[in-house]
Amino acid sequence: GEIAHATAEPGGLPCLCGKTGCLDTVASLSAISHLATRAGLPGDLEQLEQLAAQGNLGAVELLHRAGSALGLMIAQMVQIMDPQHVLVVRQGGELTGLFGRAMRQAAEGNILPQLAPRPEIITGDVMADSWAFGAASVAADRSLFREF
Ligand SMILES: [Zn+2]
């Protein structure tokens, strides 16, 4: 699917896909960087996380908004697909700061409580072979489950 282009904020910012308010305009690293520099903040996630930890309200608001949007989208995907695990990775770093906490809080707070067992939300850094695993997974899914 194209979760990045699912609407996260109706009437939000224009997206490259032609729609407005896509998750990609709120919670992608490029959107965070763009919104941060537009607000006079550093565009680097680590620097934003540091500022947020020091109490910078602009950084806190931006990271909380982005993480919450991603978490809410994850909750919706969980309710549709009922996965056992949700894996959220980032190339070049973990999601241990405010962005990751807001994401996890929004996801866990918006999954139907009666949905049991709840999926484990795993965050981490992209490993060198993650892209190959992902491509192999897509190929295996298509050849094993969709070609019948
Ligand atoms: Zn879009």
Side-chain angles (χ1 to χ4, degrees):
E2 290 286 348
I3 187 174
H5 298 287
T7 302
E9 290 185 342
L13 294 173
C15 182
L16 293 173
C17 74
K19 293 174 44 190
T20 60
C22 293
L23 184 63
D24 198 48
T25 67
V26 180
S28 68
L29 292 178
S30 61
I32 291 170
S33 178
H34 172 75
L35 294 169
T37 52
R38 201 171 77 175
L41 297 166
D44 177 71
L45 184 61
E46 270 70 30
Q47 291 178 334
L48 279 171
E49 290 284 8
Q50 282 183 336
L51 284 174
Q54 295 166 0
N56 181 295
L57 292 180
V60 167
E61 182 179 296
L62 196 156
L63 292 172
H64 191 271
R65 175 176 167 234
S68 296
L70 180 57
L72 187 57
M73 195 65 66
I74 289 171
Q76 294 172 19
M77 297 298 292
V78 164
Q79 291 196 189
I80 293 169
M81 302 172 69
D82 193 21
Q84 293 179 331
H85 305 282
V86 175
L87 179 60
V88 182
V89 296
R90 173 178 165 236
Q91 190 164 6
E94 296 275 342
L95 295 170
T96 55
L98 177 59
F99 176 72
R101 287 195 310 275
M103 174 202 65
R104 187 178 295 276
Q105 186 177 37
E108 292 173 352
N110 287 286
I111 295 171
L112 188 66
Q114 293 85 354
L115 189 65
R118 299 174 74 121
E120 179 184 12
I121 299 175
I122 304 164
T123 60
D125 195 353
V126 174
M127 297 177 291
D129 50 5
S130 294
W131 303 113
F133 283 130
S137 172
V138 170
D141 179 64
R142 288 187 179 159
S143 66
L144 295 174
F145 302 112
R146 297 183 189 192
E147 298 295 323
F148 294 108

